[in-house]
């Protein structure tokens, strides 16, 4: 199966970047969000990424415009009638994801693959919201999507071999390296990553050390140059806390949930997407 047209549901940071990567590979993509402003902002984010490549001399303006024309912003499912693959990128809440997949089940052709960008939730459980669980698969991208090569292709208990293979082929078509894995909490990468970052969160909390100083110290040893709290802000504290709590619930207290991080979320400070988290961010 070849993907001639794709769609992304959720025009937040991850959804917008996923749409940008798909369009960069020459594949038309619909970027849907419930709010028109967010959908348009997602397209603008993609354009901004291409402009940065133009400024760096890695892309010419006509090619950037051609790619931009491949992204269509939408608030409904009218343009989903001929898509071959959809990537869901909404917040990490099972009930929300199942609601979206139920809608996608009705809005897309029966042969379309329905993929979730979930970081840790069960693909099998998500697929139960549809009448085609064999077509439901995990397609977990990593931030920043444009430069991170790896993508997890997660097989639920009902995912067919054909769906898994077609999804892995699509990942390669958009210049990603697929990692095929089973449907276990955290899959491969987040199980490893959260085990490590849990210890960093725990160390900062137990020592009472200055959070920004802690981030600077860890950032000096990190390839990204950033510490765990700044990166959590970029990813979205609500998503990071949801994944951390899910991992703790599944594997026990060796997976730690940072108290101040949860407090930020409860206060509505979600990080870069709201302008305030552990740090202030210009929006």
């Amino acid at each position: 199966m070849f993907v001639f047209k794709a769609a992304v549901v959720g025009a937040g940071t991850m959804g917008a970047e996923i749409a940008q990567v798909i369009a960069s590979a020459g594949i038309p993509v619909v970027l849907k969000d419930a709010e028109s402003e967010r959908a348009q902002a997602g397209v603008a984010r993609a354009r901004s990424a291409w402009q940065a490549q133009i400024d760096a001399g890695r892309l010419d303006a006509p090619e950037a415009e051609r790619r931009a024309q491949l992204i269509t912003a939408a608030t409904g499912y009218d343009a989903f009638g001929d898509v071959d693959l959809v990537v869901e990128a909404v917040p990490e809440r099972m009930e929300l994801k199942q609601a979206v997949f139920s809608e996608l089940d009705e809005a897309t052709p029966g042969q379309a693959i329905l993929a979730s960008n979930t970081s840790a939730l069960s693909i099998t459980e998500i697929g139960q919201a549809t009448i085609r669980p064999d077509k439901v698969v995990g397609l977990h991208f990593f931030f920043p999507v444009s430069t991170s090569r790896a993508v997890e292709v997660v097989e639920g208990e009902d995912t067919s071999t054909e769906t898994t293979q077609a999804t892995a082929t699509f990942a390669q078509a958009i210049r990603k390296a697929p990692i095929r894995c089973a449907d276990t909490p955290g899959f491969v990468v987040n199980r490893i990553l959260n085990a490590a970052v849990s210890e960093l969160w725990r160390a900062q909390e137990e020592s009472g050390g200055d959070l920004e100083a802690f981030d600077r110290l860890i950032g000096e040893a990190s390839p990204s140059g950033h510490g765990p709290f700044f990166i959590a802000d970029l990813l979205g504290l609500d998503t990071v806390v949801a994944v951390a709590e899910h991992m703790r619930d599944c594997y026990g207290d060796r997976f730690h949930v940072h108290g101040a991080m949860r407090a930020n979320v409860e206060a509505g400070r979600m990080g870069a997407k709201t302008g305030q988290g552990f740090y202030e961010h210009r929006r």
Side-chain angles (χ1 to χ4, degrees):
M1 172 185 173
F2 187 81
V3 176
F4 293 96
K5 180 181 177 181
V8 177
V9 178
T13 300
M14 291 297 290
E17 292 200 10
I18 292 168
Q20 183 231 328
V21 166
I22 293 172
S24 293
I27 299 172
V29 56
V30 180
L31 179 58
K32 178 196 176 298
D33 199 281
E35 299 178 11
S36 177
E37 184 178 339
R38 283 174 60 86
Q40 295 295 340
V43 176
R45 185 183 182 92
R47 283 184 173 274
S48 177
W50 288 318
Q51 184 61 50
Q53 292 178 18
I54 293 172
D55 295 342
R58 298 195 301 270
L59 186 69
D60 59 49
E63 173 60 18
E65 184 58 30
R66 186 190 72 82
R67 294 179 182 184
Q69 293 301 317
L70 293 173
I71 303 182
T72 303
T75 56
Y77 290 111
D78 292 347
F80 281 58
D82 59 348
V83 299
D84 302 297
L85 183 145
V86 182
V87 181
E88 164 272 310
V90 303
E92 287 287 277
R93 300 197 304 273
M94 179 58 74
E95 68 278 8
L96 176 58
K97 291 184 182 292
Q98 286 188 324
V100 169
F101 270 75
S102 179
E103 294 171 353
L104 289 174
D105 209 19
E106 296 183 10
T108 60
Q111 74 275 11
I113 293 172
L114 307 181
S116 176
N117 185 53
T118 180
S119 302
L121 299 180
S122 169
I123 298 302
T124 303
E125 192 173 345
I126 292 171
Q128 290 171 354
T130 75
I131 60 172
R132 50 174 136 168
D134 60 309
K135 293 289 188 180
V136 175
V137 67
L139 188 59
H140 178 217
F141 293 84
F142 299 96
F143 181 82
V145 181
S146 59
T147 57
S148 297
R149 285 292 312 281
V151 60
E152 290 176 315
V153 177
V154 187
E155 300 177 70
E157 292 178 9
D158 303 306
T159 308
S160 70
T161 301
E162 292 77 13
T163 295
T164 304
Q165 184 56 56
T167 304
T169 299
F170 170 72
Q172 292 172 325
I174 60 173
R175 303 180 181 91
K176 299 299 177 186
I179 303 169
R180 290 176 61 166
C181 53
D183 187 14
T184 57
F187 314 134
V188 175
V189 175
N190 266 325
R191 186 169 177 178
I192 297 170
L193 179 62
N194 273 266
V197 79
S198 285
E199 292 306 309
L200 295 177
W201 293 339
R202 197 191 309 270
Q204 188 279 327
E205 213 165 40
E206 291 178 352
S207 68
D210 178 76
L211 190 143
E212 292 188 26
F214 187 87
D215 255 3
R216 284 195 299 271
L217 178 64
I218 301 300
E220 290 174 0
S222 168
S224 70
H226 299 305
F229 296 98
F230 184 82
I231 292 174
D233 262 14
L234 296 182
L235 292 173
L237 297 184
D238 53 336
T239 297
V240 174
V241 168
V243 172
E245 290 179 339
H246 180 65
M247 299 298 285
R248 186 212 43 216
D249 292 345
C250 292
Y251 295 117
D253 288 339
R254 64 193 175 100
F255 284 88
H256 183 66
V257 182
H258 194 276
M261 193 176 296
R262 184 192 283 117
N264 269 324
V265 173
E266 291 172 351
R269 297 186 295 267
M270 308 297 185
K273 61 180 158 185
T274 61
Q276 179 69 53
F278 288 111
Y279 299 86
E280 290 188 8
H281 303 267
R282 297 175 60 185
R283 300 181 66 191

